[in-house]
Amino acid sequence: MAWLFAMTCCVMGVAIGAGAAGVALVAPTWLEVDDESLADRPIAEILLVGLSRIQQQEIRNNIRIAVGQPFEASSIKDDVATLYRLGHFDSVTADAELLADGTVRVRYVLVEQAIVRDIQVIGNKVVSDQELRALIGLYPGGPRDDFLLERAIQKVKNLYRSKGNYLVEVEVDETRLVETGILIFRIVEGPRVRIREIIFSGNNAFTTNELGAQIKTKPWVFIFSMGNLDEDMLIDDVASLDKFYKDRGFIDVRVDKRVEISPSGKEAKVVFVVSEGRQYRLRSISVESVEGGPRTKPRVLHAEQVLGLMVIRPGDAFTQNKVEASTKAVEEAYQTMGYIETRIDPTWVRIGEEPEVDMIVSVRESVPVIAGIVRIQGNAITKDNVIRRKLRIQPGRPLDGHEMEMAKMRLEATQLFSDVRVTPQAPDPANPGAPRDVLVEVKERNTGSLNFGVGIGSDSGFFGQISLNQNNFDITDTPQTFDEFISGRAFRGAGQNFSIAISPGIDVSTYSVSFAEPNILETDYGFGSNLMYRNRVYTAFTEERIAGTFGLSRAFGDMWSAAGRVTLQDVTLTNFASNTPIEVYADRGPSFINSVTLAFTRTNFDNPMRPTRGSRFEGEIAYFGGMGGPYQFPLATASYTTFFPLSEDFFGRKSVLRTNISTGYIFNDNAPVSEKFYLGGRSFRGFQFRAISPLSGMEIGADPPTPASLTPTVNSNGEPNGQPIGGNFRFYAGAQYEIPVFDKFISMVAFTDTGTVTQNFTMSPYRVSIGAGIRLYIPQLGPAPLAFDFAVPVVKYTTDQTEVFSFTAELPF
């Protein structure tokens, strides 16, 4: 029995062992993550399968699930999407196993992307390998990324098309990439395609020239236009034409484009197909209020008041730009009264078979908002009062939404900040009618600069320049340590202006120091001063001028300002040539010249640096010699400049007409030649610098002159033919039309200058010139453009000295 029992136990032990082994050999059952039996069970283990190059820790850092959390299929699916977006894997899948103890094992199966061992470009001749490699986001040793690969192909195509290779083909050798890991871009550049002709088909209401002015695509013209075929530009042109028609009431317009390539593949014809439809007119306007329920009449503004604010009127062509201007006008009216969240929504419906529409103006009125506390953030250096003086938001009064926009513009105009935001804070849910604070956020810019540069101009010759400028100066913020001074933490924050400029030149040398406080003791009064030394070499003599100017100014609102100035000068004329006019020699000095000036200015430019709309009036009345000196005379000047935007393209670039009229008069004949009026050069293109002026009839033959050395100079008609000596009366009238050519950096101008300078109040002899030029706006060089102009006098005096080309250019180092 004993041996039988032992044998039985042995057999049972074998059976048990075999059973255990059988359990171990059974493969786990992996279920889909959407299986309902897995929901909410605790996660016991997370497996990562297929990793060889990527570290497990990077994967675990990018997944949401964790051991001990309940199983959620949505979280695992999100993890799969996240891991796939890393760009390391060709595929990512997930499944799960239900364990015997009721927990879940989660498995992520990852197939790593192939490694790019090398990148090669084949077939490129127009573009270098280095230029193409810079466009490709992939790199040797990194994983394959299909997104970056597709983007690289598109970038290469765009580059070639920008160079005129419109038919370029780019493909990747997939076989070589899979087998060897070498990424090869095969490029078939194709011929360079130039646009020879642009045709508009179906246009009846507008001419080809009118439509051609709205598009950027241009045909090939030697030197002036490359004529490249750019698909993206064509799409923009279609949108521009569509907007052009809809802005003029053709609301059913349809615009498309077609490109026809010549058999040689080198030339193309672009056809813009237009189906104009009919021009619609506005039959009627109705105003309704929308307050989350049935439409009613507005409560704040009556319907008649809303209609009175609108730009578009019944009977007008239904133009989109007038609709937008009307919407803006009504919203601004509400914002001015404190209803800053009021929204205007214009809609329209066609009426019958006639080309007419009725417009419904839906007004969603908000509750009035009272201004609370104005809070300022971001000004680490600039003092609060410098910012607050530009804000006219009054706590406890209705919050003027239009004023918030104007405050933003005024702060930006100071050039102290690179970013300005003025936003009302959200209402208090517990007390919706409580005053709402206004948050002013500013980002300070570097307002100090040390500049080195050179310049050249047809009037001023060649000169160098070193300048130190601080537009956020604080004369009271003296440095506590030398390090504070060196690091620029001193003398900053009060919004004052300080400048030192050293500008030596061949013809003109200028050295100056200036200081200005725009708001004395937080008032509307400002103070300005300038000390200057200038040495100017003219054709027949040299002028040395030492001047000091001190003045007070006051602003009257946003447009008007007045200023009073006292100017003290010492003027000396030297280095006389044999042809120097005797009038110049007589005023050789040294002369103490002083003046008291009262000036008025009105400005409403939309942009002070590069205006496209608005006007500026300047008037001055001055009396010279009130504090003694050899010269006593009154002087008055006035000028009026206007800017009119005549057109605007799809990209917001405006073609602008500028007109200018200026005049000046000296009321007696006691002014020295250094203070009289001259025109010419950049002030009157087509004529030499200071050439438009009365001329001397007598010149000196030696220095000092004697009666026998005085030489009369006359032309064949017996008229004076000497050097300019300035006049007592000046008049100028001119116009300039500026058209953007390339982005906002290059534009062309056409202009006419007219005017005269005489001894008495007369317009004869009158001069007229016409011309054209180029403007280069380079932000790194400052707001003033590089200007190059060609002008031809069409009306001139017999003794006038002309000048075809004039220019100004300043370049920093």
Side-chain angles (χ1 to χ4, degrees):
M1 291 293 293
W3 64 268
L4 181 60
F5 176 77
M7 185 177 293
T8 302
C9 290
C10 182
V11 171
M12 291 178 65
V14 171
I16 293 172
V23 172
L25 292 175
V26 175
T29 303
W30 296 103
L31 305 174
E32 298 287 341
V33 295
D34 288 326
D35 194 306
E36 295 183 358
S37 63
L38 303 173
D40 296 329
R41 294 180 180 272
I43 298 174
E45 186 179 4
I46 301 173
L47 300 179
L48 304 177
V49 180
L51 296 179
S52 60
R53 186 179 72 255
I54 310 302
Q55 297 294 323
Q56 283 204 14
Q57 190 58 46
E58 181 180 355
I59 305 305
R60 295 188 184 277
N61 290 341
N62 283 279
I63 60 177
R64 294 170 54 190
I65 67 170
V67 173
Q69 290 182 351
F71 183 91
E72 290 185 6
S74 60
S75 297
I76 296 175
K77 290 179 179 179
D78 290 342
D79 288 343
V80 169
T82 300
L83 294 175
Y84 190 78
R85 283 195 296 268
L86 294 177
H88 297 320
F89 306 106
D90 184 60
S91 67
V92 180
T93 59
D95 48 23
E97 178 190 9
L98 181 59
L99 302 179
D101 59 358
T103 60
V104 177
R105 178 186 293 129
V106 179
R107 179 178 67 171
Y108 293 95
V109 180
L110 307 113
V111 179
E112 294 180 348
Q113 289 277 23
I115 295 297
V116 177
R117 303 188 184 280
D118 191 18
I119 299 176
Q120 299 178 6
V121 182
I122 299 175
N124 56 307
K125 296 178 181 179
V126 176
V127 184
S128 66
D129 287 2
Q130 292 77 9
E131 194 172 357
L132 291 174
R133 287 177 182 273
L135 295 176
I136 301 172
L138 299 164
Y139 55 90
R144 168 176 175 163
D145 189 319
D146 289 340
F147 173 77
L148 294 179
L149 190 60
E150 186 62 33
R151 190 169 66 173
I153 292 173
Q154 193 59 46
K155 283 184 176 182
V156 172
K157 286 183 177 180
N158 291 341
L159 176 62
Y160 269 97
R161 288 172 178 171
S162 69
K163 296 180 179 294
N165 297 73
Y166 182 75
L167 302 176
V168 64
E169 294 293 338
V170 182
E171 61 180 18
V172 171
D173 192 331
E174 286 284 351
T175 303
R176 292 289 297 275
L177 180 58
V178 173
E179 293 178 353
T180 66
I182 299 176
L183 177 57
I184 300 176
F185 288 87
R186 298 187 183 275
I187 300 176
V188 180
E189 294 179 330
R192 183 172 184 176
V193 182
R194 286 175 173 169
I195 301 174
R196 289 291 183 177
E197 187 179 13
I198 297 177
I199 296 176
F200 294 91
S201 175
N203 57 306
N204 297 314
F206 303 101
T207 65
T208 296
N209 290 336
E210 288 176 306
L211 297 182
Q214 308 304 315
I215 63 175
K216 293 182 65 178
T217 302
K218 303 297 179 184
W220 179 83
V221 179
F222 180 66
I223 296 177
F224 295 101
S225 175
M226 299 297 292
N228 290 339
L229 193 57
D230 188 322
E231 186 69 28
D232 292 335
M233 188 181 295
L234 290 174
I235 295 173
D236 292 339
D237 288 341
V238 168
S240 181
L241 291 172
D242 182 80
K243 182 178 185 299
F244 175 80
Y245 269 95
K246 288 180 178 176
D247 281 347
R248 285 150 182 81
F250 293 83
I251 60 179
D252 293 332
V253 67
R254 291 181 296 171
V255 183
D256 204 351
K257 47 110 176 109
R258 184 174 72 249
V259 177
E260 299 177 2
I261 307 295
S262 67
S264 66
K266 296 182 179 180
E267 297 180 350
K269 178 170 67 175
V270 177
V271 181
F272 289 97
V273 182
V274 181
S275 175
E276 293 179 334
R278 298 179 296 177
Q279 186 181 37
Y280 281 73
R281 294 195 171 275
L282 181 63
R283 190 184 74 165
S284 66
I285 306 175
S286 61
V287 181
E288 298 177 343
S289 176
V290 181
E291 297 183 353
R295 297 179 184 270
T296 59
K297 298 298 180 183
R299 294 176 292 103
V300 180
L301 291 179
H302 296 300
E304 293 77 11
Q305 293 173 304
V306 173
L307 293 174
L309 291 167
M310 301 189 71
V311 177
I312 194 168
R313 295 284 189 270
D316 291 348
F318 187 66
T319 60
Q320 191 63 33
N321 53 357
K322 281 191 174 182
V323 173
E324 292 172 357
S326 299
T327 301
K328 182 178 179 181
V330 177
E331 285 188 347
E332 285 184 353
Y334 272 97
Q335 290 174 357
T336 301
M337 296 184 293
Y339 296 84
I340 61 174
E341 294 175 346
T342 295
R343 294 295 175 262
I344 310 300
D345 182 24
T347 57
W348 53 272
V349 292
R350 291 183 177 86
I351 305 300
E353 297 298 325
E354 296 298 321
E356 295 179 331
V357 297
D358 286 348
M359 188 166 72
I360 303 171
V361 180
S362 299
V363 182
R364 186 177 296 274
E365 292 181 336
S366 62
V367 297
V369 177
I370 303 300
I373 299 174
V374 178
R375 305 181 186 276
I376 301 174
Q377 291 183 0
N379 54 321
I381 296 174
T382 307
K383 295 178 179 178
D384 274 11
N385 61 330
V386 176
I387 299 174
R388 291 188 185 278
R389 67 176 60 144
K390 301 297 180 182
L391 306 174
R392 296 172 188 166
I393 301 170
Q394 301 180 18
R397 300 291 300 275
L399 182 56
D400 187 340
H402 181 63
E403 172 55 33
M404 287 194 296
E405 184 63 28
M406 295 299 297
K408 179 178 182 295
M409 294 176 61
R410 285 193 292 268
L411 287 172
E412 290 173 341
T414 64
Q415 299 293 305
L416 302 181
F417 312 105
S418 59
D419 186 28
V420 179
R421 299 179 183 179
V422 182
T423 53
Q425 298 304 283
D428 183 359
N431 188 6
R436 291 165 61 174
D437 295 347
V438 177
L439 178 63
V440 179
E441 299 172 282
V442 297
K443 184 178 181 180
E444 294 177 312
R445 70 193 321 164
N446 183 13
T447 55
S449 62
L450 178 62
N451 304 311
F452 302 86
V454 295
I456 187 170
S458 53
D459 293 354
S460 57
F462 183 83
F463 59 91
Q465 187 176 61
I466 303 173
S467 63
L468 174 64
N469 305 290
Q470 177 53 259
N471 297 328
N472 197 10
F473 191 69
D474 186 353
I475 197 171
T476 65
D477 183 21
T478 56
Q480 302 298 317
T481 64
F482 182 74
D483 180 67
E484 189 177 43
F485 175 76
I486 293 298
S487 63
R489 298 194 302 272
F491 294 115
R492 294 181 65 188
Q496 300 163 354
N497 295 285
F498 177 76
S499 176
I500 300 176
I502 302 172
S503 180
I506 296 175
D507 294 332
V508 184
S509 297
T510 307
Y511 308 89
S512 65
V513 179
S514 63
F515 170 79
E517 165 58 78
N519 298 87
I520 302 174
L521 301 176
E522 297 308 311
T523 66
D524 290 330
Y525 290 91
F527 170 77
S529 62
N530 176 266
L531 300 176
M532 181 267 292
Y533 168 79
R534 186 178 70 195
N535 182 284
R536 172 83 208 215
V537 178
Y538 294 103
T539 303
F541 64 96
T542 299
E543 177 190 284
E544 292 186 8
R545 185 184 296 259
I546 302 173
T549 301
F550 309 90
L552 290 174
S553 62
R554 191 187 191 286
F556 299 92
D558 290 330
M559 293 187 292
W560 281 96
S561 65
R565 297 191 300 270
V566 175
T567 302
L568 308 176
Q569 303 182 81
D570 181 85
V571 180
T572 304
L573 309 182
T574 60
N575 298 331
F576 302 108
S578 60
N579 64 340
T580 302
I582 188 62
E583 292 89 346
V584 173
Y585 187 81
D587 292 331
R588 62 190 179 277
S591 301
F592 173 59
I593 301 175
N594 59 86
S595 64
V596 178
T597 304
L598 181 62
F600 298 92
T601 303
R602 181 190 183 277
T603 305
N604 63 345
F605 289 157
D606 58 348
N607 186 327
M609 297 300 174
R610 193 173 176 180
T612 61
R613 184 187 300 275
S615 63
R616 179 180 177 87
F617 168 78
E618 295 179 273
E620 290 189 359
I621 300 174
Y623 185 80
F624 285 72
M627 288 173 280
Y631 306 104
Q632 291 85 34
F633 59 94
L635 177 150
T637 62
S639 67
Y640 184 66
T641 304
T642 58
F643 289 84
F644 303 97
L646 298 187
S647 64
E648 181 176 351
D649 62 17
F650 183 72
F651 300 94
R653 302 175 306 180
K654 297 178 180 179
S655 297
V656 180
L657 174 65
R658 184 192 72 189
T659 63
N660 175 251
I661 297 176
S662 65
T663 187
Y665 189 68
I666 298 172
F667 289 87
N668 63 40
D669 203 25
N670 192 34
V673 293
S674 61
E675 307 304 314
K676 289 193 174 185
F677 297 121
Y678 302 83
L679 285 174
R682 294 301 299 166
S683 64
F684 199 122
R685 290 157 290 189
F687 295 84
Q688 287 188 7
F689 177 59
R690 290 171 50 123
I692 300 179
S693 160
L695 303 180
S696 170
M698 304 291 283
E699 297 177 351
I700 63 174
D703 185 14
T706 63
S709 68
L710 296 178
T711 307
T713 58
V714 295
N715 59 22
S716 58
N717 298 322
E719 298 168 329
N721 194 26
Q723 297 292 320
I725 57 174
N728 293 333
F729 172 68
R730 181 200 70 206
F731 178 81
Y732 170 85
Q736 177 172 290
Y737 183 49
E738 184 169 352
I739 306 171
V741 175
F742 177 75
D743 203 1
K744 296 183 179 180
F745 306 118
I746 302 178
S747 60
M748 296 185 64
V749 298
F751 58 84
T752 179
D753 292 338
T754 73
T756 189
V757 176
T758 60
Q759 289 289 11
N760 302 310
F761 193 84
T762 177
M763 290 294 215
S764 179
Y766 201 76
R767 283 88 165 180
V768 178
S769 68
I770 60 173
I774 297 175
R775 299 291 181 268
L776 304 179
Y777 293 89
I778 303 175
Q780 293 81 0
L781 306 186
L786 307 184
F788 306 90
D789 291 326
F790 295 86
V792 178
V794 294
V795 178
K796 63 179 181 178
Y797 194 48
T798 55
T799 57
D800 287 339
Q801 300 296 313
T802 61
E803 178 182 76
V804 174
F805 179 58
S806 63
F807 64 96
T808 57
E810 296 185 19
L811 304 174
F813 291 151

